[in-house]
């Protein structure tokens, strides 16, 4: 009896196991033999599109990954670009865009791209286990200390309009000082005449306030005018000094930025991100939280370069200088390493932050997620993912952090930056020498005219003798006077 019960139990357990296995197999169909509509979006080196004879082809890390998975799991696919060329974000009222929107709307079966795993996306699609972990990086132009310099950089703090206003104000104040002195003297019949006031002295006074010489000749009314002009020049000079210092220290600021906190602590360098990306959504979610990223987002919205419509446009803006583009670290590294054609103008700033993961996206509740996940994990374990990484991010190429082209934060300014102001100093010295020569020449001509006149034929030697005789004659008269005066005193 016990033997019969044991046999029946074994048979029941075996039957239940077969039923469970069959049910599980039916619930989880295999990827093998399936056809998938795969979407991606262009982002080097994950997916790069090229068109030849109206035929589009793709290459990149994710393309190689997709082909390896298709070979391993024996499925076929058709690879196309997402509907708007972006990864996809959630827009109020319109729903999801980009590659995520294509899957949510049923227009695609799989996303194989540089797709970040986020909580918002997890609500509408499924992800495999990550195939790559990364951090967000910052891309900027390498400061070049050996490049060309703007010799007139000291004029940059003010626009031409401001410089012309300062010049006009100087001339206007000088003229008004001269006019006040003339009016005071005329209306008081010379009682309040300012002997030291003329158009030349008033012009020097107006310039002297700017250069630091604040002596003001003349009466109270002229001094009042000079005081108001002094307040004006005080603001102008200090504004110029502050702006000049800022423009000359931009080079040091660039190399002192290594984190988001450093970015929000300065205003000389602007920065931005690409629209309709996971980073874009992340910063929008930070609004109002008073975090570092909230401050970054606030500053980005106030600048025209804060939101870039494409990665190509962002790189172009970075090459113009004084700008940092914030994007996924793998893309930043690829752009820097492969910038040899442009003499390695780009560099990665500081270390990565906001560490995230890339994964393959599928429709919510897809039966193929687990099987694809296992294959991705196996490829990571056997080194296939590492081989693809080495292929697309080679160790050779440009230096990731700028190398010898970067400028140290403690490095001083080179002499070339002062050529402009030195040229003005040299021009002033040369003009002073010319004026001095003209003065000496004019003096000599004037003296000759006084020494020899058309009414006399007296030579220079005769004139000197005559002058000496007259001097001696005057000396004798003085001595005779002194002697007579002394005798008169003794007699009394």
């Amino acid at each position: 009896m016990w033997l019969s019960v044991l046999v029946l139990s074994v048979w029941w357990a075996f039957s239940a196991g077969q039923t469970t296995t069959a049910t599980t197999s039916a619930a989880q169909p295999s990827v093998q033999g399936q056809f998938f509509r795969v979407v991606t979006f262009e982002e080097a080196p994950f997916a790069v599109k090229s068109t030849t004879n109206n035929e589009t082809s793709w290459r990149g890390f994710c393309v190689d990954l997709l082909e390896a998975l298709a070979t391993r799991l024996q499925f076929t696919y058709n690879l196309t670009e997402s509907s708007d060329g972006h990864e996809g974000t959630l827009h109020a009222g319109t729903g999801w865009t980009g590659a995520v929107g294509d899957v949510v709307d049923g227009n695609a079966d799989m996303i194989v791209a540089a797709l970040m795993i986020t909580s918002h996306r997890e609500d509408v699609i499924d992800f495999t286990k990550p195939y790559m972990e990364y951090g967000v990086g910052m891309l900027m132009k390498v400061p070049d200390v050996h490049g060309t310099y703007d010799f007139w950089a000291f004029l940059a703090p003010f626009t031409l309009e401001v410089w012309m206003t300062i010049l006009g104000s100087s001339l206007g104040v000088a003229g008004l000082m001269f006019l006040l002195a003339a009016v005071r003297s005329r209306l008081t019949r010379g009682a309040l005449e300012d002997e030291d006031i003329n158009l030349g002295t008033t012009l020097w006074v107006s310039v002297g306030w700017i250069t630091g010489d604040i002596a003001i000749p003349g009466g109270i009314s002229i001094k009042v005018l000079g005081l108001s002009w002094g307040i004006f020049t005080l603001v102008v000079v200090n504004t110029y000094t502050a702006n000049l210092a800022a423009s000359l220290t931009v080079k040091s600021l660039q190399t002192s930025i290594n984190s988001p906190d450093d970015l929000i602590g300065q205003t000389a360098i602007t920065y931005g991100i690409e629209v309709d990306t996971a980073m874009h959504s992340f910063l929008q979610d930070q609004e109002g939280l008073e975090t570092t990223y909230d401050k970054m987002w606030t500053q980005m919205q106030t600048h025209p370069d804060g939101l870039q419509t494409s990665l190509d446009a962002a790189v172009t803006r970075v090459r113009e200088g004084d700008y940092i583009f914030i994007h996924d670290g793998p893309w930043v590294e690829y752009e820097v390493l492969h910038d040899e054609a442009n003499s390695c103008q780009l560099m990665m700033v500081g270390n990565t932050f906001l560490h995230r993961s890339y994964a393959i996206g599928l429709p919510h509740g897809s039966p193929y997620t687990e099987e694809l996940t296992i294959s991705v994990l196996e490829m990571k374990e056997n080194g296939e993912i590492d081989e693809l990484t080495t292929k697309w991010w080679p160790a050779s190429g440009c230096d990731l952090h700028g190398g010898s082209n970067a400028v140290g934060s403690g490095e001083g300014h080179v002499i070339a930056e002062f050529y402009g102001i030195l040229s003005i100093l040299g021009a002033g010295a040369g003009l002073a020498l010319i004026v001095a020569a003209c003065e000496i020449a004019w003096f000599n001509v004037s003296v000759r005219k006084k020494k020899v006149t058309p009414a006399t034929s007296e030579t220079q030697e005769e004139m000197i003798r005559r002058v000496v005789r007259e001097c001696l004659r005057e000396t004798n008269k003085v001595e005779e006077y002194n002697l007579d005066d002394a005798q008169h005193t003794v007699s009394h």
Side-chain angles (χ1 to χ4, degrees), residues 183-217:
V183 170
R184 290 171 71 250
S185 177
R186 176 67 63 85
L187 296 181
T188 59
R189 298 180 180 180
L192 296 178
E193 182 178 4
D194 298 306
E195 297 180 354
D196 297 330
I197 293 294
N198 54 57
L199 191 58
T201 57
T202 56
L203 180 61
W204 283 115
V205 166
S206 65
V207 175
W209 268 100
I210 299 177
T211 58
D213 184 5
I214 58 175
I216 306 177

Side-chain angles (χ1 to χ4, degrees), residues 96 116 180 214 267 329 334 365 427 431 452 461:
W96 285 90
M116 179 194 297
L180 284 174
I214 58 175
T267 57
Y334 179 83
L431 181 61
V452 182
E461 183 178 356

Side-chain angles (χ1 to χ4, degrees), residues 444-463 466:
N444 290 332
V445 171
S446 300
V447 169
R448 289 195 189 98
K449 289 183 177 180
K450 292 180 180 179
K451 287 179 180 178
V452 182
T453 65
T456 179
S457 59
E458 183 182 30
T459 63
Q460 183 175 359
E461 183 178 356
E462 292 173 345
M463 183 194 70
R466 178 175 55 79

